[in-house]
Amino acid sequence: MKVFAGHLPGLSRDDVEWREATFSAWGESVKVMLPVLHEAQARALCADIRAHAGARLKTMEVARIAAAIDAAIARLLDRDHPLRREAERLLPVVTGYDPETVRLGLTSYLKTFRLPQLKRFLAEDFGNPGVLDAFEPTPKGGFVRAYGPELLLHVWAGNVPGLSLWSLICGLLVKAGSVGKLASAEPLMAGWFASLLAEIDPEIGACLAIVWWKGGDAAAADIFLHEADTVMAYGSNATLAGLRARLPVTTRFLPHGHKIGFGMIGREALDSRKAAAVARLAACDVIRYEQQGCYSPQMIFVERGGPVSPAGFARHLGHELAAAASRHPRRRLSAGDAGAVAAWRNAQELQALDGAATVLGGPGDPWSIVHVESPEPLHPSGLYRTLKLVAVDSLEEVPALVGRFRHFLQTAGVAASPERLHRLAALLGAVGVTRVAALGGMTSPEAGWHHDGRFSLLDLVTMTEIERGAELAAEGFAPYVD
Amino acid sequence: MQDEIIRELLAFIDLSDADEAAFEALALKIFAYQFRLNEPYRKFAVRRGRTPLTVRRWRDIPAVPINAFKELTLSCCPAEAAERVFMTSGTTQGVSGRSYHPTLAVYDASMLVHFRQRFMRGRERIRMGILFPDETAIPNSSLAHYLALALRECGTQDSAIYIGADGLDTDRLFAALERAQAQGEPYALLGASYAFVPLLDALAAQGRRFSLPEGSRILDTGGYKGQSRALALDDFYDGLSAAFGVPRSACINMYGMTELSSQLYDDGNAVCPSVKSGPHWMRTRVVDPLSGEDVPEGEIGVIVHHDLAHFNAVAALLTEDAGRIVPGGFHLLGRVDEAAAHGCSVAVAEFIAAAKGQGA
């Protein structure tokens, strides 16, 4: 099976050099052809995108763009659409996530980009989204209009399916000409979405390109980095530092580094009736994307004092992970991944020797839980359903255990009463947590969320203001002036 | 009990070879000994459901992950009763792994018997140049002790150490090499792999090369450890061969670790990766790191060494090295890759580095 990745308006398949990447999982393999552009091609492509966006996208009403996105998303949500079928078939092979996780994940993710959600999205950042189309009056007097970048470069990373759509859609909504660099670990979704858009509204399709270069190929990256006026990038801090170092100082850089998520379960959620249900929700967050999302839980803090003890909850969770293994099997791990899981397990087992920890799940099980009774600071897991449960006397202790990793914090999944939810959220926000989610919903951020606490659309635009004074002064030059 | 184990081990090492049954008998006996006297290991084994009562085959003796040597005191004798403690050079988190030796008699016998077999190859003594600090400078280094032993027991009078307080004494070493070349006497260069790299660079800078007499040989060990730039194996051995006139087949790599009492060697590096093997009191397995089960011959897994000579600590060691079993031994394929971040959750290495950076 061979598929071509990317979206290169104005270039035919024969014009481009392709590099083959092979992915295997679930007993299948797929060859993905990745475009490698020559310098001249890359420069011409950037110039074209910029020009098309200036001539077309910038003059369109945002409603037309949102409608086109909505139509493309509707097709991707339609399980009978050929592209959706292709996505369900190929993404598990490319990313290694189990087919059911990919299917459910796609649907819950894509539905946050339907028209009503896009409108919410716009309203979230712009009190009056009309500022994207025209100068609108402001309360202080005068008028204001928002302009998106002429050329927005996205540098995607990671294998979470469709992650790229997030920033791509943000860019379109602010009418930016967009060039996206595919993540080598999931090089398909962005190209599919761009092609769908081009089919639905060719004028919009001409304003975005999906490209690829080999990670670390500084020369190839530099061409795009210098053409763009805004760069939104994902990856490790080392990757981001490398990109930032090569950017002109005038380029706006919007980095999204890797993050760590965690869960918190209050004693009020731990009675004999609720504990099993809470464990099911936590298991869902762990299984979805094998803890590899920035929002995935790596550790769960469990409060003592409820009818079900932290040790009891650990057993509930173990039961849920074991039960879910047939519906959501864990892929056969690569040597490196198996090594990481084994290293994590070995470290926990050593800790367990002096009774400080209890390990649940055997080496042959596709999950492991370790439960400790003394407080421990936040730490990444071994991924692939390896989770540490830390018992605490009070959830109020948790901010101190996670706060030293402020720059890595993002999502906290909380199961607690309404009053405590708000009290804890205040403490968590103060130490750097930017998203408090329901347990079970950690991997599905709501439409219009503030990714890493930032304004997804507002961060992209610049505002042009007509001051009140300019307006008044203009009156003096009107043809009807007395 | 300890004396009896030592006596048996010394006799075992002295045998010319050992079949599977003999190895297994002693392995089970040493497992029972370590189970009884090494408390953390006993707990570890019990957790795995492996006790002297349930284990019947040496392959079922539980292998301790190498990290355990950092976290636990793995010793059958009281730690303070050890004649010597070997420590790993600080690794990722600045904690050293420790191996306690109540006596070095077994370590020394193991080292010498196998070293003579694999490196000396029938020669009684050879003129040696050592590219590693002296044992007195770093008494907790097992490699320093190993090389001191090699020098004392197998080196000629005019052998010398060329790394001192001021680093590598290139001039003195080159003079010694000149002399060996002029006299037509075989020469042996031994040292850490990373110590050879600046030597190769210095020779290249001077446009100089040696042509050491036939029978000369080189022993490198330990990889680069970030101490020098890293070279691909073929480039490294091509470089050595060209710089010193020693054929790649006489460039021997020793694979050893602080957490063992024996070493493994290849029979030269004419072809890389070379086939490595240990002595008859040692077995090497390649396992699936999760299940601990042997992977089929030829498939890549994680290396487990079972070194009977490491009687005071733990004989069965789960390394972090990747390898595969091949006819005659195994291929060492470097460290098991640290799993890179696939998604967007922060990777352990990045997290630890950041935590250290802020003094956490």
Side-chain angles (χ1 to χ4, degrees):
Chain A
M1 204 181 327
K2 187 153 137 184
V3 286
F4 285 84
H7 171 71
L8 305 166
L11 285 167
S12 82
R13 197 168 276 180
D14 297 337
D15 297 337
V16 178
E17 188 188 326
W18 299 88
R19 180 184 298 230
E20 185 178 298
T22 304
F23 297 85
S24 304
W26 309 108
E28 284 188 59
S29 73
V30 53
K31 286 189 174 65
V32 178
M33 307 304 287
L34 298 160
V36 184
L37 299 184
H38 305 305
E39 183 177 340
Q41 286 175 321
R43 287 198 193 287
L45 186 68
C46 288
D48 280 356
I49 297 294
R50 186 197 301 270
H52 285 143
R56 302 173 192 178
L57 208 53
K58 303 278 184 204
T59 61
M60 277 180 209
E61 293 208 338
V62 79
R64 175 173 160 190
I65 300 169
I69 294 170
D70 181 57
I73 294 293
R75 289 178 202 191
L76 287 172
L77 279 166
D78 173 6
R79 296 202 56 207
D80 292 325
H81 192 275
L83 211 46
R84 168 69 186 224
R85 288 218 293 266
E86 178 126 307
E88 287 189 19
R89 196 163 46 100
L90 297 185
L91 289 176
V93 181
V94 167
T95 64
Y97 297 125
D98 74 273
E100 195 62 2
T101 287
V102 168
R103 184 180 76 74
L104 294 172
L106 276 181
T107 298
S108 84
Y109 179 61
L110 291 169
K111 72 184 187 194
T112 65
F113 300 117
R114 300 305 308 273
L115 192 55
Q117 285 71 28
L118 294 175
K119 285 181 176 166
R120 175 164 308 137
F121 213 152
L122 287 161
E124 194 66 44
D125 277 18
F126 301 100
N128 171 10
V131 295
L132 286 164
D133 292 331
F135 279 98
E136 293 280 317
T138 65
K140 73 172 171 68
F143 286 79
V144 68
R145 182 170 175 180
Y147 290 92
E150 292 190 322
L151 191 66
L152 170 62
L153 176 68
H154 311 257
V155 182
W156 295 306
N159 67 350
V160 175
L163 200 72
S164 47
L165 299 196
W166 175 258
S167 70
L168 198 53
I169 287 173
C170 290
L172 287 168
L173 288 177
V174 299
K175 307 181 187 180
S178 288
V179 175
K181 187 261 178 189
L182 291 165
S184 299
E186 196 280 88
L188 295 175
M189 262 315 258
W192 286 336
F193 177 73
S195 313
L196 261 184
L197 262 185
E199 192 183 303
I200 291 161
D201 192 330
E203 285 206 311
I204 298 178
C207 301
L208 74 164
I210 308 297
V211 303
W212 181 82
W213 65 80
K214 191 171 164 25
D217 182 346
D222 277 346
I223 301 167
F224 294 100
L225 290 172
H226 285 97
E227 291 284 343
D229 46 308
T230 303
V231 175
M232 194 185 265
Y234 298 80
S236 67
N237 283 345
T239 303
L240 296 174
L243 289 173
R244 185 169 62 183
R246 294 206 303 278
L247 280 179
V249 68
T250 47
T251 303
R252 191 180 301 183
F253 185 56
L254 303 168
H256 288 288
H258 291 157
K259 293 289 186 280
I260 182 167
F262 61 93
M264 296 166 74
I265 300 172
R267 60 176 76 90
E268 60 270 35
L270 291 170
D271 68 28
S272 51
R273 200 167 49 84
K274 297 191 186 102
V278 171
R280 191 165 311 135
L281 294 171
C284 165
D285 285 337
V286 167
I287 291 167
R288 187 71 66 83
Y289 306 129
E290 304 289 359
Q291 293 168 283
Q292 293 177 41
C294 49
Y295 33 50
S296 298
Q298 308 296 326
M299 232 183 200
I300 296 184
F301 298 94
V302 188
E303 198 172 45
R304 290 192 192 91
V308 172
S309 67
F313 182 75
R315 288 192 294 274
H316 275 297
L317 187 54
H319 174 75
E320 291 298 334
L321 288 174
S326 60
R327 186 170 183 213
H328 298 285
R330 186 175 77 179
R331 71 176 294 190
R332 188 167 177 263
L333 301 183
S334 72
D337 292 331
V341 170
W344 184 86
R345 269 191 67 91
N346 287 335
Q348 310 310 322
E349 286 203 325
L350 293 178
Q351 213 187 349
L353 289 186
D354 43 17
T358 313
V359 180
L360 279 73
D365 290 323
W367 58 275
S368 314
I369 295 174
V370 61
H371 154 230
V372 295
E373 279 294 329
S374 49
E376 278 185 29
L378 189 59
H379 195 272
S381 71
L383 307 179
Y384 297 102
R385 311 179 196 190
T386 59
L387 187 73
K388 183 173 259 188
L389 296 186
V390 179
V392 289
D393 284 330
S394 160
L395 288 185
E396 274 74 8
E397 294 169 33
V398 174
L401 296 173
V402 303
R404 68 214 265 198
F405 309 111
R406 171 173 206 108
H407 298 295
F408 287 119
L409 297 182
Q410 186 204 71
T411 297
V414 179
S417 68
E419 187 241 334
R420 292 189 79 205
L421 173 69
H422 283 276
R423 202 168 62 230
L424 290 168
L427 298 172
L428 292 171
V431 297
V433 170
T434 57
R435 174 171 172 253
V436 175
L439 222 51
M442 291 180 73
T443 63
S444 316
E446 287 173 356
W449 75 306
H450 293 103
H451 186 187
D452 293 340
R454 295 302 317 172
F455 291 88
S456 313
L457 302 176
L458 217 43
D459 274 354
L460 291 175
V461 299
T462 49
M463 302 304 232
T464 299
E465 290 184 310
I466 303 173
E467 291 195 342
R468 176 92 181 112
E471 229 184 314
L472 290 175
E475 287 296 334
F477 310 119
Y480 48 77
V481 71
D482 292 331
Chain B
M1 188 67 192
Q2 179 181 294
D3 292 346
E4 187 190 325
I5 291 279
I6 292 172
R7 223 170 22 247
E8 266 195 70
L9 266 169
L10 291 174
F12 195 86
I13 288 169
D14 261 346
L15 299 173
S16 60
D17 203 353
D19 62 13
E20 193 74 358
F23 180 86
E24 186 144 84
L26 190 53
L28 292 172
K29 186 164 187 175
I30 287 173
F31 173 52
Y33 174 76
Q34 294 177 337
F35 186 87
R36 187 147 61 87
L37 296 174
N38 184 337
E39 193 195 335
Y41 182 52
R42 176 168 65 242
K43 287 182 178 167
F44 176 84
V46 167
R47 261 204 65 83
R48 295 278 164 102
R50 307 282 173 86
T51 74
L53 288 174
T54 63
V55 170
R56 290 277 170 273
R57 308 180 317 151
W58 70 265
R59 286 178 187 273
D60 295 334
I61 294 170
V64 159
I66 194 162
N67 258 324
F69 281 82
K70 290 182 193 151
E71 317 233 340
L72 306 171
T73 302
L74 291 168
S75 178
C76 290
C77 76
E80 58 280 5
E83 174 192 328
R84 189 74 81 86
V85 183
F86 289 142
M87 289 161 56
T88 54
S89 44
T91 41
T92 36
Q93 293 186 57
V95 186
S96 293
R98 290 155 184 263
S99 273
Y100 299 89
H101 295 273
T103 164
L104 283 176
V106 177
Y107 184 99
D108 291 358
S110 165
M111 182 277 168
L112 280 171
V113 168
H114 200 209
F115 180 78
R116 288 198 168 108
Q117 211 177 315
R118 303 296 287 272
F119 187 72
M120 297 305 289
R121 295 173 170 179
R123 217 184 150 89
E124 189 62 23
R125 287 186 178 270
I126 192 166
R127 191 185 289 176
M128 289 183 183
I130 308 278
L131 308 180
F132 199 74
D134 183 52
E135 187 179 13
T136 52
I138 38 175
N140 293 118
S141 161
S142 56
L143 181 58
H145 176 70
Y146 168 98
L147 291 169
L149 207 56
L151 185 71
R152 192 176 75 221
E153 300 294 329
C154 304
T156 57
Q157 283 292 328
D158 45 4
S159 297
I161 293 175
Y162 293 97
I163 290 191
D166 302 327
L168 181 64
D169 190 344
T170 317
D171 295 343
R172 201 159 63 89
L173 173 65
F174 287 174
L177 293 174
E178 289 282 3
R179 205 158 50 242
Q181 196 171 282
Q183 294 169 347
E185 192 182 317
Y187 195 86
L189 263 176
L190 303 89
S193 311
Y194 57 78
F196 285 95
V197 178
L199 209 53
L200 293 179
D201 292 345
L203 283 174
Q206 296 174 20
R208 187 169 177 189
R209 54 175 55 189
F210 292 96
S211 179
L212 292 175
E214 200 182 331
S216 295
R217 59 204 74 184
I218 291 175
L219 181 142
D220 80 286
T221 186
Y224 307 109
K225 296 187 171 162
Q227 303 257 13
S228 74
R229 67 197 162 84
L231 294 178
L233 284 178
D234 278 316
D235 295 340
F236 180 67
Y237 291 110
D238 279 342
L240 286 184
S241 182
F244 301 106
V246 175
R248 281 178 56 161
S249 58
C251 295
I252 292 160
N253 175 261
M254 185 274 274
Y255 169 40
M257 42 188 88
T258 304
E259 297 86 350
L260 294 174
S261 288
S262 306
Q263 299 79 31
L264 305 99
Y265 300 89
D266 52 41
D267 295 319
N269 279 274
V271 179
C272 290
S274 61
V275 178
K276 291 189 162 54
S277 58
H280 64 258
W281 56 93
M282 189 173 195
R283 294 285 187 276
T284 299
R285 303 164 57 205
V286 171
V287 304
D288 173 322
L290 275 171
S291 69
E293 300 294 325
D294 292 73
V295 302
E297 183 167 327
E299 280 188 22
I300 295 174
V302 179
I303 293 175
V304 168
H305 295 300
H306 202 116
D307 177 18
L308 299 185
H310 210 47
F311 71 96
N312 185 59
V314 173
L317 175 73
L318 173 65
T319 70
E320 291 174 345
D321 296 325
R324 75 174 147 238
I325 298 288
V326 294
F330 63 94
H331 285 160
L332 172 63
L333 301 171
R335 297 265 299 181
V336 175
D337 287 337
E338 166 98 42
H342 300 297
C344 44
S345 65
V346 63
V348 176
E350 183 180 3
F351 189 83
I352 289 175
K356 272 167 76 173
Q358 58 188 239

mmCIF file of all heavy atoms in Angstrom, chain A residues 432-458:
data_model
loop_
_atom_site.group_PDB
_atom_site.id
_atom_site.type_symbol
_atom_site.label_atom_id
_atom_site.label_comp_id
_atom_site.label_asym_id
_atom_site.label_seq_id
_atom_site.Cartn_x
_atom_site.Cartn_y
_atom_site.Cartn_z
ATOM 1 N N GLY A 432 0.544 26.835 37.304
ATOM 2 C CA GLY A 432 0.836 26.706 35.884
ATOM 3 C C GLY A 432 -0.056 25.765 35.098
ATOM 4 O O GLY A 432 0.103 25.632 33.888
ATOM 5 N N VAL A 433 -0.982 25.086 35.765
ATOM 6 C CA VAL A 433 -1.909 24.228 35.026
ATOM 7 C C VAL A 433 -2.818 25.133 34.190
ATOM 8 O O VAL A 433 -3.325 26.141 34.680
ATOM 9 C CB VAL A 433 -2.749 23.373 36.000
ATOM 10 C CG1 VAL A 433 -3.885 22.662 35.283
ATOM 11 C CG2 VAL A 433 -1.851 22.361 36.708
ATOM 12 N N THR A 434 -3.005 24.798 32.915
ATOM 13 C CA THR A 434 -3.809 25.664 32.058
ATOM 14 C C THR A 434 -5.143 25.046 31.684
ATOM 15 O O THR A 434 -5.961 25.674 31.025
ATOM 16 C CB THR A 434 -3.054 26.010 30.761
ATOM 17 O OG1 THR A 434 -2.704 24.795 30.099
ATOM 18 C CG2 THR A 434 -1.812 26.821 31.054
ATOM 19 N N ARG A 435 -5.358 23.801 32.047
ATOM 20 C CA ARG A 435 -6.628 23.178 31.678
ATOM 21 C C ARG A 435 -7.036 22.198 32.769
ATOM 22 O O ARG A 435 -6.277 21.277 33.088
ATOM 23 C CB ARG A 435 -6.476 22.448 30.340
ATOM 24 C CG ARG A 435 -7.688 21.647 29.930
ATOM 25 C CD ARG A 435 -7.568 21.125 28.494
ATOM 26 N NE ARG A 435 -8.651 20.222 28.212
ATOM 27 C CZ ARG A 435 -8.536 18.900 28.097
ATOM 28 N NH1 ARG A 435 -7.347 18.326 28.206
ATOM 29 N NH2 ARG A 435 -9.582 18.147 27.865
ATOM 30 N N VAL A 436 -8.197 22.418 33.338
ATOM 31 C CA VAL A 436 -8.770 21.474 34.293
ATOM 32 C C VAL A 436 -9.898 20.765 33.559
ATOM 33 O O VAL A 436 -10.862 21.396 33.117
ATOM 34 C CB VAL A 436 -9.293 22.194 35.552
ATOM 35 C CG1 VAL A 436 -9.986 21.200 36.476
ATOM 36 C CG2 VAL A 436 -8.143 22.887 36.279
ATOM 37 N N ALA A 437 -9.755 19.474 33.406
ATOM 38 C CA ALA A 437 -10.710 18.703 32.616
ATOM 39 C C ALA A 437 -11.400 17.691 33.510
ATOM 40 O O ALA A 437 -10.945 17.402 34.625
ATOM 41 C CB ALA A 437 -9.975 17.973 31.486
ATOM 42 N N ALA A 438 -12.495 17.150 33.005
ATOM 43 C CA ALA A 438 -13.130 16.040 33.708
ATOM 44 C C ALA A 438 -12.292 14.802 33.477
ATOM 45 O O ALA A 438 -11.725 14.616 32.395
ATOM 46 C CB ALA A 438 -14.539 15.819 33.167
ATOM 47 N N LEU A 439 -12.202 13.959 34.481
ATOM 48 C CA LEU A 439 -11.590 12.659 34.265
ATOM 49 C C LEU A 439 -12.397 11.948 33.182
ATOM 50 O O LEU A 439 -13.623 12.013 33.183
ATOM 51 C CB LEU A 439 -11.636 11.867 35.577
ATOM 52 C CG LEU A 439 -10.386 11.073 35.950
ATOM 53 C CD1 LEU A 439 -9.141 11.920 35.899
ATOM 54 C CD2 LEU A 439 -10.556 10.443 37.308
ATOM 55 N N GLY A 440 -11.730 11.310 32.265
ATOM 56 C CA GLY A 440 -12.416 10.680 31.143
ATOM 57 C C GLY A 440 -12.475 11.599 29.940
ATOM 58 O O GLY A 440 -12.724 11.153 28.828
ATOM 59 N N GLY A 441 -12.224 12.893 30.157
ATOM 60 C CA GLY A 441 -12.256 13.845 29.052
ATOM 61 C C GLY A 441 -10.914 14.510 28.841
ATOM 62 O O GLY A 441 -10.797 15.475 28.091
ATOM 63 N N MET A 442 -9.891 13.993 29.490
ATOM 64 C CA MET A 442 -8.586 14.651 29.420
ATOM 65 C C MET A 442 -8.068 14.740 27.989
ATOM 66 O O MET A 442 -7.431 15.718 27.609
ATOM 67 C CB MET A 442 -7.569 13.919 30.301
ATOM 68 C CG MET A 442 -7.847 14.050 31.783
ATOM 69 S SD MET A 442 -6.638 13.182 32.802
ATOM 70 C CE MET A 442 -5.206 14.257 32.634
ATOM 71 N N THR A 443 -8.351 13.696 27.178
ATOM 72 C CA THR A 443 -7.778 13.667 25.835
ATOM 73 C C THR A 443 -8.694 14.324 24.801
ATOM 74 O O THR A 443 -8.398 14.272 23.610
ATOM 75 C CB THR A 443 -7.478 12.221 25.393
ATOM 76 O OG1 THR A 443 -8.716 11.511 25.327
ATOM 77 C CG2 THR A 443 -6.564 11.517 26.379
ATOM 78 N N SER A 444 -9.819 14.904 25.238
ATOM 79 C CA SER A 444 -10.716 15.562 24.278
ATOM 80 C C SER A 444 -10.981 17.003 24.708
ATOM 81 O O SER A 444 -12.035 17.288 25.276
ATOM 82 C CB SER A 444 -12.059 14.829 24.193
ATOM 83 O OG SER A 444 -11.874 13.448 24.148
ATOM 84 N N PRO A 445 -10.051 17.893 24.434
ATOM 85 C CA PRO A 445 -10.288 19.290 24.806
ATOM 86 C C PRO A 445 -11.531 19.822 24.104
ATOM 87 O O PRO A 445 -11.844 19.424 22.982
ATOM 88 C CB PRO A 445 -9.042 20.009 24.287
ATOM 89 C CG PRO A 445 -8.032 18.948 24.070
ATOM 90 C CD PRO A 445 -8.778 17.692 23.758
ATOM 91 N N GLU A 446 -12.227 20.728 24.784
ATOM 92 C CA GLU A 446 -13.442 21.286 24.203
ATOM 93 C C GLU A 446 -13.117 22.261 23.084
ATOM 94 O O GLU A 446 -12.009 22.803 23.027
ATOM 95 C CB GLU A 446 -14.231 22.018 25.301
ATOM 96 C CG GLU A 446 -14.890 21.061 26.273
ATOM 97 C CD GLU A 446 -15.527 21.774 27.450
ATOM 98 O OE1 GLU A 446 -15.397 23.013 27.548
ATOM 99 O OE2 GLU A 446 -16.150 21.077 28.268
ATOM 100 N N ALA A 447 -14.118 22.465 22.245
ATOM 101 C CA ALA A 447 -13.950 23.445 21.168
ATOM 102 C C ALA A 447 -13.604 24.797 21.795
ATOM 103 O O ALA A 447 -14.155 25.165 22.817
ATOM 104 C CB ALA A 447 -15.243 23.559 20.375
ATOM 105 N N GLY A 448 -12.683 25.487 21.175
ATOM 106 C CA GLY A 448 -12.359 26.820 21.646
ATOM 107 C C GLY A 448 -11.495 26.843 22.894
ATOM 108 O O GLY A 448 -11.358 27.877 23.536
ATOM 109 N N TRP A 449 -10.874 25.720 23.239
ATOM 110 C CA TRP A 449 -10.019 25.726 24.434
ATOM 111 C C TRP A 449 -8.785 26.577 24.190
ATOM 112 O O TRP A 449 -8.404 26.856 23.048
ATOM 113 C CB TRP A 449 -9.641 24.304 24.848
ATOM 114 C CG TRP A 449 -8.602 23.621 23.993
ATOM 115 C CD1 TRP A 449 -8.649 23.458 22.640
ATOM 116 C CD2 TRP A 449 -7.382 23.002 24.413
ATOM 117 N NE1 TRP A 449 -7.550 22.762 22.204
ATOM 118 C CE2 TRP A 449 -6.749 22.473 23.271
ATOM 119 C CE3 TRP A 449 -6.760 22.822 25.649
ATOM 120 C CZ2 TRP A 449 -5.529 21.795 23.332
ATOM 121 C CZ3 TRP A 449 -5.560 22.144 25.697
ATOM 122 C CH2 TRP A 449 -4.951 21.647 24.558
ATOM 123 N N HIS A 450 -8.214 26.986 25.277
ATOM 124 C CA HIS A 450 -6.991 27.786 25.171
ATOM 125 C C HIS A 450 -5.795 26.860 25.283
ATOM 126 O O HIS A 450 -5.341 26.538 26.376
ATOM 127 C CB HIS A 450 -6.964 28.863 26.252
ATOM 128 C CG HIS A 450 -8.015 29.892 26.058
ATOM 129 N ND1 HIS A 450 -9.177 29.916 26.807
ATOM 130 C CD2 HIS A 450 -8.114 30.906 25.175
ATOM 131 C CE1 HIS A 450 -9.933 30.921 26.386
ATOM 132 N NE2 HIS A 450 -9.314 31.530 25.397
ATOM 133 N N HIS A 451 -5.287 26.437 24.135
ATOM 134 C CA HIS A 451 -4.191 25.474 24.095
ATOM 135 C C HIS A 451 -2.973 26.044 24.819
ATOM 136 O O HIS A 451 -2.482 27.107 24.464
ATOM 137 C CB HIS A 451 -3.863 25.163 22.631
ATOM 138 C CG HIS A 451 -2.849 24.070 22.478
ATOM 139 N ND1 HIS A 451 -2.314 23.730 21.269
ATOM 140 C CD2 HIS A 451 -2.282 23.245 23.381
ATOM 141 C CE1 HIS A 451 -1.454 22.741 21.443
ATOM 142 N NE2 HIS A 451 -1.419 22.432 22.707
ATOM 143 N N ASP A 452 -2.506 25.291 25.822
ATOM 144 C CA ASP A 452 -1.390 25.742 26.660
ATOM 145 C C ASP A 452 -1.662 27.130 27.241
ATOM 146 O O ASP A 452 -0.734 27.908 27.478
ATOM 147 C CB ASP A 452 -0.069 25.730 25.880
ATOM 148 C CG ASP A 452 0.374 24.313 25.529
ATOM 149 O OD1 ASP A 452 -0.101 23.372 26.191
ATOM 150 O OD2 ASP A 452 1.182 24.152 24.599
ATOM 151 N N GLY A 453 -2.938 27.409 27.438
ATOM 152 C CA GLY A 453 -3.297 28.655 28.096
ATOM 153 C C GLY A 453 -3.206 29.884 27.210
ATOM 154 O O GLY A 453 -3.326 31.011 27.701
ATOM 155 N N ARG A 454 -3.017 29.671 25.918
ATOM 156 C CA ARG A 454 -2.847 30.818 25.023
ATOM 157 C C ARG A 454 -4.126 31.040 24.205
ATOM 158 O O ARG A 454 -4.995 30.187 24.137
ATOM 159 C CB ARG A 454 -1.664 30.580 24.074
ATOM 160 C CG ARG A 454 -0.323 30.485 24.758
ATOM 161 C CD ARG A 454 0.026 31.705 25.569
ATOM 162 N NE ARG A 454 -0.304 32.938 24.849
ATOM 163 C CZ ARG A 454 -0.247 34.149 25.357
ATOM 164 N NH1 ARG A 454 0.112 34.309 26.615
ATOM 165 N NH2 ARG A 454 -0.558 35.202 24.637
ATOM 166 N N PHE A 455 -4.149 32.180 23.533
ATOM 167 C CA PHE A 455 -5.266 32.494 22.655
ATOM 168 C C PHE A 455 -4.922 31.991 21.259
ATOM 169 O O PHE A 455 -4.042 32.534 20.605
ATOM 170 C CB PHE A 455 -5.525 33.995 22.637
ATOM 171 C CG PHE A 455 -6.067 34.498 23.934
ATOM 172 C CD1 PHE A 455 -5.217 34.901 24.952
ATOM 173 C CD2 PHE A 455 -7.437 34.524 24.145
ATOM 174 C CE1 PHE A 455 -5.725 35.343 26.153
ATOM 175 C CE2 PHE A 455 -7.946 34.963 25.353
ATOM 176 C CZ PHE A 455 -7.088 35.381 26.362
ATOM 177 N N SER A 456 -5.632 30.970 20.835
ATOM 178 C CA SER A 456 -5.233 30.297 19.599
ATOM 179 C C SER A 456 -5.349 31.202 18.388
ATOM 180 O O SER A 456 -4.566 31.099 17.458
ATOM 181 C CB SER A 456 -6.097 29.070 19.393
ATOM 182 O OG SER A 456 -6.167 28.340 20.588
ATOM 183 N N LEU A 457 -6.354 32.063 18.366
ATOM 184 C CA LEU A 457 -6.543 32.948 17.217
ATOM 185 C C LEU A 457 -5.916 34.319 17.476
ATOM 186 O O LEU A 457 -5.213 34.863 16.625
ATOM 187 C CB LEU A 457 -8.036 33.118 16.917
ATOM 188 C CG LEU A 457 -8.793 31.827 16.624
ATOM 189 C CD1 LEU A 457 -10.279 32.116 16.447
ATOM 190 C CD2 LEU A 457 -8.245 31.152 15.371
ATOM 191 N N LEU A 458 -6.161 34.818 18.662
ATOM 192 C CA LEU A 458 -5.695 36.166 18.981
ATOM 193 C C LEU A 458 -4.172 36.270 18.893
ATOM 194 O O LEU A 458 -3.624 37.292 18.481
ATOM 195 C CB LEU A 458 -6.166 36.506 20.402
ATOM 196 C CG LEU A 458 -6.609 37.929 20.703
ATOM 197 C CD1 LEU A 458 -7.476 38.499 19.588
ATOM 198 C CD2 LEU A 458 -7.383 37.959 22.020
#
